[in-house]
Amino acid sequence: KDLFRDYSLIDMFPSLTDSLIGTGRLAELSICYGDRFIAKDGAKTTPLYTWSAPTVNYKLKKESPNDQEETIYYTLIMTDPDTPSRIKHELREFVHWAIVNIPNDAVHKGTELLSYLGPVPPYKSGLHRYVFSLYSQKEPLPEYLIEESKAIFSKRSCIKTHEWIRSNMDFFCEIPEGL
């Protein structure tokens, strides 16, 4: 089954349409846990391999309009839309990681709103999907918004990341740059 056309992802990202998927407008994210590459269409793995934060790389789709280097800031969010299970997901979304103010593709230089928490699905809850979404920022988030957002994300569950993005549209582009 195509992960991008699953109801859960469209529910998580209402702005994401079939016309956008497959157009090459989404950045290609590369997620690696140690030497284990997680394919863009998803791959099965276990919590044993995901205790430490992954290495996240992406190819930028935006280019500077002139020859000068321009810093573009990004936000990276990792969520589990299947909490507590794929059938019963009333706690959607559970946020595992949130980083803002990432300069260009230097994830390690961003500001963590929420530190990484590896996947720990409840016992016998079946397979869970973990979604990495990348948003471009119109400008760096100011300190007051970072502190407000840390408080929002600190509860981790029942957060709708697209609503947080929409509520801060002065700083974000609504459609994810990459999934």
Side-chain angles (χ1 to χ4, degrees):
K1 187 174 182 178
D2 187 346
L3 181 65
F4 289 110
R5 286 181 175 74
D6 187 284
Y7 172 78
S8 297
L9 284 183
I10 297 301
D11 184 42
M12 284 174 62
F13 306 105
S15 303
L16 199 58
T17 64
D18 283 344
S19 62
L20 180 62
I21 297 167
T23 63
R25 286 186 51 205
L26 294 175
E28 294 179 26
L29 273 70
S30 168
I31 313 295
C32 293
Y33 284 98
D35 61 352
R36 295 176 63 103
F37 171 71
I38 305 299
K40 70 177 182 178
D41 293 343
K44 290 181 184 175
T45 190
T46 65
L48 174 68
Y49 296 103
T50 57
W51 283 109
S52 297
T55 300
V56 179
N57 294 301
Y58 45 88
K59 293 180 184 175
L60 299 173
K61 294 292 183 179
K62 293 188 175 193
E63 295 179 10
S64 185
N66 52 37
D67 290 337
Q68 297 177 346
E69 272 295 311
E70 179 183 2
T71 301
I72 299 173
Y73 292 92
Y74 292 90
T75 291
L76 177 70
I77 302 174
M78 175 189 172
T79 63
D80 175 357
D82 302 323
T83 303
S85 73
R86 283 185 83 161
I87 295 169
K88 188 177 181 181
H89 48 254
E90 68 273 354
L91 298 179
R92 178 179 297 154
E93 304 162 52
F94 185 90
V95 181
H96 285 268
W97 200 19
I99 306 171
V100 298
N101 294 347
I102 300 169
N104 296 325
D105 57 354
V107 176
H108 65 284
K109 291 184 179 179
T111 302
E112 277 191 335
L113 292 182
L114 190 61
S115 61
Y116 180 80
L117 174 65
V120 285
Y123 182 66
K124 291 194 174 189
S125 63
L127 292 175
H128 285 243
R129 293 163 297 163
Y130 297 90
V131 178
F132 289 81
S133 52
L134 183 71
Y135 291 90
S136 63
Q137 297 175 206
K138 296 174 184 174
E139 61 184 87
L141 272 61
E143 193 60 36
Y144 80 88
L145 184 55
I146 289 173
E147 293 308 313
E148 286 177 11
S149 300
K150 283 181 179 180
I152 291 168
F153 279 90
S154 67
K155 64 181 184 174
R156 291 197 186 259
S157 64
C158 299
I159 298 170
K160 297 200 179 305
T161 55
H162 72 274
E163 289 177 6
W164 176 73
I165 294 290
R166 279 189 181 158
S167 69
N168 294 292
M169 287 301 288
D170 289 345
F171 299 98
F172 292 101
C173 296
E174 183 180 1
I175 297 173
E177 289 288 325
L179 292 173

